[in-house]
Amino acid sequence: MPGRDFRRIAVVNRGEAASRFIHAAREFDRQHGIALTVLALHTAAERHARFVREADEAVCLDELTVAGHTSSLSPYLDHEVLERALLRSGAEAVWPGWGFVAEDAGFAERCERLGITFLGPSAAVMRRLGDKIAAKRLAEEAGVPVAPWSGGAVETVEDALAQGRVIGYPLMVKATAGGGGRGIRHVAAEDELAAAFDSARSEAGRSFGDPTVFMERRVSQARHVEVQVVGDEHGTVWAVGVRDCTIQRRNQKVIEESRSTALSLDQETELRTAAGRL
């Protein structure tokens, strides 16, 4: 919503994520003389949590669950419950933090429909970058180097074997949807590919409801380095930081260190510039 002003911001998150935003809002108030009202959404068990006590107002998500309604979803993921909470709170904007609905395009669209500003990427951006195949194609369009890959989805074992001969080994079979290390299989040689392909597709279908996979060259002895990027609605982009996320357990990051000691200053500049183009 270009140019919209707001004062009441709901935090759809908890714990450290919520507290960080509340502290940042207080600092913003002091610097700019603007009184932002921060609304904490929480469960009944979190009623006395620190982030709830620090917020200006609070709304209990459990109290907004429809009687008789059963769901395995956390209330932080239930769009219907979140909508009722946002409407009750009078929120004009939403900050989702990380995790939960921070990368949920459907929730971002719901906020737009409600006339509430979603403080994050648009639904269209999330969908384009959340799908790894679309993201790799976008990276190529932006001139960002990518590892050799299948160029799109791989549908059958026969296709996988043909792609493997072009890409070369070792390689990876990866789900295009989701994250968290699921739907990823490392393949050292051709005789391992068929089983890895079926296994990756099966896990991706169970975890994300989408069995689509692609293949790419595995980069050995690599470091996992990420660039944190902020963009505004006017097209301005800042690459605000580089972090090394190499220390992982089961494809899940354990430590994120900034800056990356693996990169020279020239390499870091090149990486920031490429991320900005993307």
Side-chain angles (χ1 to χ4, degrees), residues 180-181 221-229 241-263 268 271:
Q221 300 299 314
R223 298 289 283 259
H224 180 138
V225 181
E226 299 183 354
V227 184
Q228 200 75 11
V229 177
V242 174
R243 58 192 183 188
D244 197 314
C245 311
T246 304
I247 300 177
Q248 302 184 8
R249 179 179 181 272
R250 299 179 67 180
N251 296 319
Q252 293 276 23
K253 289 169 278 191
V254 177
I255 294 175
E256 299 184 10
E257 180 183 8
S258 184
R259 55 181 294 268
S260 173
T261 57
L263 299 176
E268 180 173 314
L271 190 59

Side-chain angles (χ1 to χ4, degrees), residues 147-149 166-172 215-219:
W149 71 299
V166 174
I167 295 170
Y169 294 87
L171 57 77
M172 294 193 297
M215 294 163 52
E216 68 181 5
R217 175 79 58 82
R218 179 177 181 180
V219 182

Side-chain angles (χ1 to χ4, degrees), residues 138-238:
L138 184 63
E140 289 178 326
E141 291 172 15
V144 177
V146 300
W149 71 299
S150 56
V154 180
E155 303 290 349
T156 67
V157 171
E158 290 73 24
D159 290 341
L161 290 168
Q163 288 289 343
R165 296 182 190 110
V166 174
I167 295 170
Y169 294 87
L171 57 77
M172 294 193 297
V173 181
K174 299 178 71 173
T176 189
R182 295 185 178 90
I184 298 176
R185 296 294 183 273
H186 302 281
V187 183
E190 185 174 87
D191 60 357
E192 301 175 9
L193 182 56
F197 177 80
D198 289 338
S199 177
R201 280 180 58 86
S202 177
E203 184 174 46
R206 290 195 311 271
S207 300
F208 314 125
D210 182 355
T212 305
V213 298
F214 65 98
M215 294 163 52
E216 68 181 5
R217 175 79 58 82
R218 179 177 181 180
V219 182
S220 302
Q221 300 299 314
R223 298 289 283 259
H224 180 138
V225 181
E226 299 183 354
V227 184
Q228 200 75 11
V229 177
V230 176
D232 66 18
E233 63 191 14
H234 307 291
T236 308
V237 175
W238 301 268

